């Protein structure tokens, strides 16, 4: 297994061009465990952490952090969370322990079109639903973390990429399995790791390499997203509420002109072999998640169905 683990880490490092000054951890507890691990590892007693609120997942990260440290919401998209607050509107704390944001809001379908510049304060980002969708400049971040169950594949694993100089700041009471330094020292094998998930993650990294790496994923994901948004915008029937330059490449929510059409749409889609299109229960409507594993043919089939549904029901 050690060989499998090392190969997976090497492949992830190669895909993301992770600088040597970063540790890559393969941990358990999902991204949600990291919502707590982040303040444990970075926010000492009395520290303030800055958070940007762009929707459902930011809110969860904020709520959890509030249990462990002072939280300053430096910017809040507000309203229906359909946009990203411009960087020059953020009220950052100069002495903040870190700045946290959610590059892709999985439920709202809102994605940052920029990596925020926060000076010397460590930037911490929840890449759960967009990691490996395109190349990323890891050196801009203090910590990147991502639940694996989307673009990395298996549930039961969270990948944490942490700059080495941020290790060793954990509070004394930090649970050992949350302590990045302790985990890094033992190659994420301080206790029994999620071996099978780690193995499958490694297989996915190999698959991405065979596709041509992250530049190839970027081309494919851009083309998939453009096709779907064009179909929505051009329809005069379907609608996506997100500001155009903040639209997610991975999660595409859309509504029909009336809620009454949701059920027939979902039933017809299912009959056409298109499943898991119901929007999150908190927002309704539809949501097409078009992660790396979704081929262009899947998006084409969805668009074809949408056109046909509009023709017959519109
Ligand atoms: N953050 C984001 C952006 C997510 O999409 C999710 C899961 N959908 C989570 C955090 C929570 O991840 P987990 O279930 O791995 O704790």
């Amino acid at each position: 297994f050690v060989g499998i683990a090392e190969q997976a880490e090497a492949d992830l490092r190669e895909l993301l061009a992770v600088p040597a000054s970063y540790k890559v951890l393969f941990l358990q507890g999902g991204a949600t465990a990291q919502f707590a691990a982040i303040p444990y590892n970075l926010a000492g007693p009395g520290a303030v952490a800055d958070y940007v609120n762009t929707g459902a997942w930011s809110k969860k990260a904020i709520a959890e952090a509030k249990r462990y440290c002072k939280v300053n919401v430096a910017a809040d998209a507000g309203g229906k969370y359909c946009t990203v607050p411009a960087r020059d509107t953020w009220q950052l704390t100069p002495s903040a322990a870190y700045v946290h944001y959610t590059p892709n809001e999985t439920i709202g379908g809102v994605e940052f079109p920029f990596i925020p510049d926060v000076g010397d304060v460590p930037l911490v980002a929840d890449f759960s639903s967009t990691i490996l969708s395109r190349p990323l400049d890891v050196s801009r971040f203090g910590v990147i973390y991502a639940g694996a169950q989307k673009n990395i594949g298996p549930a039961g694993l969270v990948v944490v990429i942490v700059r080495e100089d941020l290790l060793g700041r954990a509070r004394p009471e930090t649970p050992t399995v949350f302590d990045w330094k302790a985990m890094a020292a033992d190659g994420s094998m301080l206790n029994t790791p999620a071996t099978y998930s780690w193995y499958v993650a490694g297989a996915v990294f190999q698959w991405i390499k065979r596709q041509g790496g992250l530049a190839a994923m970027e081309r494919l994901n851009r083309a998939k997203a453009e096709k779907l948004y064009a179909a929505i915008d051009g329809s005069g029937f379907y609608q996506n509420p997100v500001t155009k330059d903040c639209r997610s490449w991975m999660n595409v929510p859309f509504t029909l002109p009336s809620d009454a059409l949701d059920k027939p749409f979902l039933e017809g889609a299912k009959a056409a072999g298109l499943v898991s299109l119901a929007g999150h229960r908190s927002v309704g409507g539809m949501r097409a998640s078009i992660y790396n594993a979704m081929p262009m043919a899947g998006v084409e089939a969805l668009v074809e169905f949408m056109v046909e549904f509009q023709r017959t029901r519109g």
Side-chain angles (χ1 to χ4, degrees), residues 113-139:
F114 58 90
I115 298 174
D117 183 352
V118 294
D120 291 337
V121 176
L123 183 61
V124 178
D126 175 1
F127 269 92
S128 293
S129 49
T130 187
I131 195 162
L132 302 181
S133 65
R134 74 205 80 175
L136 181 67
D137 181 359
V138 174
S139 72

Side-chain angles (χ1 to χ4, degrees), residues 29-35 56-58 60-61 102-107 126-130 145-150 155-158 251 287 291:
T32 303
Q34 296 306 311
F35 289 167
W57 288 107
S58 309
K60 293 211 175 185
T102 311
N104 186 70
E105 285 283 356
T106 320
I107 295 174
D126 175 1
F127 269 92
S128 293
S129 49
T130 187
Y145 66 106
Q149 63 274 28
K150 294 164 172 86
L157 190 73
V158 54
N251 314 100
R287 177 178 52 157
Y291 295 116

Side-chain angles (χ1 to χ4, degrees), residues 40-42 162-172 179-182 184:
Y40 264 127
N41 280 277
L42 296 179
V162 52
R163 215 174 60 216
E164 260 168 12
D165 64 287
L166 299 175
L167 299 177
R169 301 184 183 190
R171 306 174 185 198
D179 185 330
W180 297 331
K181 186 174 183 190

Side-chain angles (χ1 to χ4, degrees), residues 237-239 254-259 261-262 264-266 285-286 309:
F237 182 78
Y238 303 102
Q239 274 195 314
F254 60 93
T255 53
L256 283 72
S258 137
D259 293 350
L261 288 171
D262 287 356
F265 183 91
L266 287 167
M286 305 299 146
F309 184 85

